[in-house]
């Protein structure tokens, strides 16, 4: 059904059994990705962004990991019930994945050209010369100079940033319906980053590709996102259209992330405090120990259910202050809100 979202994640729970205890890395995350849409996952390091992405095509190492609950539907199919063969077809076929670290994506014993061609051949019947031409044009598209010559080089002959660009070319080789890009540009300089973001947008225009894009850089979010999912310690704090998130951020965590943008007063300062222990997260709202607007009710029960902070029905926030209220935060409970703090103020060891 074309009106259904291409990807629908409901109440995803991905856990790791570790010596320190059970890590609920993703603990009830839900979001949809429509065809041709870019959804950005944002949040500090350790929030569960990568684990969410890796759950989509079940790349979680099992054990210690386990998808303990929830539903992942891709184009009408429940991914959690697919066989290993069906999953292999999905990965690198209809779903391309760019990992945070490109090392694992490239095989050191094959040339980059072989690897891109293999990705093309794995899912399409094309002549060898066509595949080679396509591989060169993909390398050009991701900004590899002299692509026609470099195509016969091995991964070790490329720098880290170049390897990441090759990994992006491989992920795009089969013209995936969904591209899962986990901090794909974090290791790249801003010029190449801009080029890659352009390439993603072009791809989207041409093929109606859907993109799940992970970043902790809200500048990149502003560039590329249609919708944003703000995650913190395995929970969704806020979700909405990119305009709503930037113009009317509701959750104190989203606000704090925005205040950390370069160019803001106190910008580039980390949010005071740090993520909770993954094996022993706090009750109530997971963000409450760091929240300036904390009330007694924030410290008990479960993560608040999602409510709408404004008239935009796509904009939802998990914060008791918006439950049936007037869509505003109360006075800060602990002095000055993060936004108004001077940069020299002491900071915790958060990111
Ligand atoms: P993010 O991508 O948002 O920085 P991750 O998704 O990588 O965060 O990690 C979320 C949580 O899951 C972290 O607490 C991390 O330590 C834990 N985690 C991820 N992979 C594993 C693993 N293989 N074993 C145990 N814990 C893991
Ligand atoms: Mg990550």
């Amino acid at each position: 059904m074309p009106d259904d979202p291409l990807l629908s994640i409901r109440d995803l729970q991905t856990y790791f059994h570790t010596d320190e205890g059970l890590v609920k890395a993703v603990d009830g995350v839900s979001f949809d990705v429509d065809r041709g849409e870019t959804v950005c996952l944002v949040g500090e390091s350790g929030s569960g962004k990568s684990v969410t992405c890796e759950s989509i095509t079940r790349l979680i190492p099992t054990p210690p990991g386990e998808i303990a609950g929830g539903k992942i539907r891709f184009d009408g199919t429940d991914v959690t019930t697919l066989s290993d063969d069906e999953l292999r077809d999905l990965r690198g076929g209809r779903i391309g994945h760019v990992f945070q670290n490109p090392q694992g994506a490239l095989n050191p014993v094959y040339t980059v050209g072989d690897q891109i061609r293999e990705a093309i051949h794995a899912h399409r019947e094309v002549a060898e010369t066509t595949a080679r031409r396509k591989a060169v044009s993909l390398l050009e598209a991701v900004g590899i100079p002299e692509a026609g010559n470099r195509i016969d080089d091995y991964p070790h002959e490329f720098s880290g940033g170049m390897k990441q660009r090759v990994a992006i070319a491989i992920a795009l080789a089969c013209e995936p319906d969904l591209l899962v890009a986990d901090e794909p540009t974090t290791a790249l300089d801003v010029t190449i980053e801009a080029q890659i973001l352009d390439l993603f947008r072009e791809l989207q225009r041409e093929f109606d590709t859907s993109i799940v894009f992970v970043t902790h850089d809200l500048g990149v979010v502003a560039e590329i996102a249609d919708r944003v999912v703000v995650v913190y310690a395995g929970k969704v704090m806020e979700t909405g259209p990119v305009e709503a998130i930037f113009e009317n951020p509701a959750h104190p965590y989203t606000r704090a992330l925005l205040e950390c943008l370069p160019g803001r007063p106190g910008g580039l300062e980390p949010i005071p405090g740090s993520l909770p222990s993954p094996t022993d997260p706090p009750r109530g709202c997971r963000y409450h120990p760091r929240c300036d607007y904390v009330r007694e009710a924030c410290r008990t029960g479960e993560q608040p259910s999602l409510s709408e902070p404004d008239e935009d029905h796509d904009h939802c926030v998990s914060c008791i202050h918006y439950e049936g209220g007037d869509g505003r935060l109360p006075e800060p409970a602990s002095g000055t809100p993060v936004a108004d703090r001077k940069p020299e103020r002491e900071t915790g060891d958060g990111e």
Side-chain angles (χ1 to χ4, degrees):
M1 277 175 282
D3 283 349
D4 278 356
L6 180 68
L7 177 72
S8 171
I9 297 182
R10 282 292 165 276
D11 199 23
L12 177 66
Q13 293 150 35
T14 308
Y15 298 170
F16 292 95
H17 301 269
T18 74
D19 292 343
E20 287 73 43
L22 186 63
V23 172
K24 296 184 174 180
V26 175
D27 194 11
V29 164
S30 301
F31 63 92
D32 288 342
V33 185
D34 286 332
R35 283 157 220 273
E37 184 181 47
T38 299
V39 173
C40 277
L41 302 184
V42 294
E44 287 163 294
S45 192
S47 298
K49 306 182 297 295
S50 294
V51 173
T52 301
C53 288
E54 285 157 21
S55 299
I56 296 171
T57 51
R58 292 193 6 222
L59 288 167
I60 299 298
T62 312
E66 153 194 35
I67 296 184
K71 283 251 176 306
I72 300 171
R73 288 183 80 78
F74 175 75
D75 201 11
T77 303
D78 181 355
V79 174
T80 50
T81 63
L82 292 182
S83 69
D84 288 349
D85 280 348
E86 290 169 319
L87 275 171
R88 256 191 299 277
D89 281 347
L90 201 62
R91 295 179 197 134
R94 299 194 60 200
I95 303 183
H97 205 132
V98 182
F99 295 90
Q100 207 166 342
N101 174 357
Q103 306 300 340
L106 302 179
N107 188 327
V109 304
Y110 294 103
T111 67
V112 304
D114 285 340
Q115 296 182 56
I116 300 173
R117 286 203 302 274
E118 187 192 293
I120 295 169
H121 284 310
H123 303 278
R124 303 252 187 294
E125 294 213 359
V126 290
E128 191 50 47
T129 45
T130 313
R132 186 176 169 96
R133 221 179 311 118
K134 182 160 179 177
V136 172
S137 75
L138 276 165
L139 282 184
E140 280 166 353
V142 295
I144 305 280
E146 297 180 58
N149 298 327
R150 298 303 311 265
I151 192 165
D152 295 316
D153 287 350
Y154 289 86
H156 73 87
E157 296 174 83
F158 289 80
S159 68
M162 292 272 207
K163 280 197 197 95
Q164 181 63 311
R165 287 185 254 168
V166 172
I168 293 169
I170 291 173
L172 299 181
C174 58
E175 291 161 16
D177 296 316
L178 174 69
L179 180 67
V180 180
D182 189 353
E183 311 221 24
T185 55
T186 303
L188 305 178
D189 70 57
V190 289
T191 320
I192 298 298
E193 174 171 76
Q195 191 177 335
I196 301 279
L197 296 183
D198 278 346
L199 176 68
F200 283 6
R201 274 189 291 256
E202 210 175 286
L203 191 81
Q204 211 157 35
R205 261 198 307 276
E206 199 173 335
F207 301 108
D208 212 24
T209 311
S210 304
I211 303 178
V212 173
F213 195 106
V214 173
T215 178
H216 56 252
D217 182 344
L218 284 158
V220 171
V221 175
E223 283 276 314
I224 196 163
D226 295 308
R227 259 174 338 108
V228 181
V229 180
V230 180
V231 288
Y232 182 78
K235 298 278 191 192
V236 173
M237 295 289 128
E238 182 165 1
T239 167
V242 65
E243 301 81 18
I245 297 294
F246 277 87
E247 285 161 26
N248 190 23
H251 201 284
Y253 181 59
T254 312
R255 293 185 178 205
L257 282 176
L258 283 165
E259 293 307 332
C260 294
L261 269 177
R264 300 284 179 106
L268 279 183
E269 286 295 311
I271 302 170
S274 53
L275 253 74
S277 152
T279 50
D280 186 24
R283 292 176 57 74
C285 176
R286 296 243 162 129
Y287 186 61
H288 89 251
R290 296 168 79 184
C291 186
D292 288 312
Y293 303 92
V294 63
R295 295 289 189 271
E296 205 39 51
C298 305
R299 302 181 212 269
T300 57
E302 300 293 315
Q303 184 69 39
S305 54
L306 292 172
S307 46
E308 293 173 11
D310 50 37
E311 320 75 66
D312 186 339
H313 296 307
D314 280 340
H315 187 191
C316 297
V317 62
S318 164
C319 174
I320 59 155
H321 297 310
Y322 297 91
E323 284 175 353
D326 57 1
R328 253 182 293 154
L329 286 174
E331 285 299 302
S334 52
T336 331
V338 175
D340 300 332
R341 286 178 190 159
K342 298 253 177 345
E344 60 268 24
R345 197 191 135 92
E346 53 87 32
T347 56
D349 54 353
E351 196 186 14

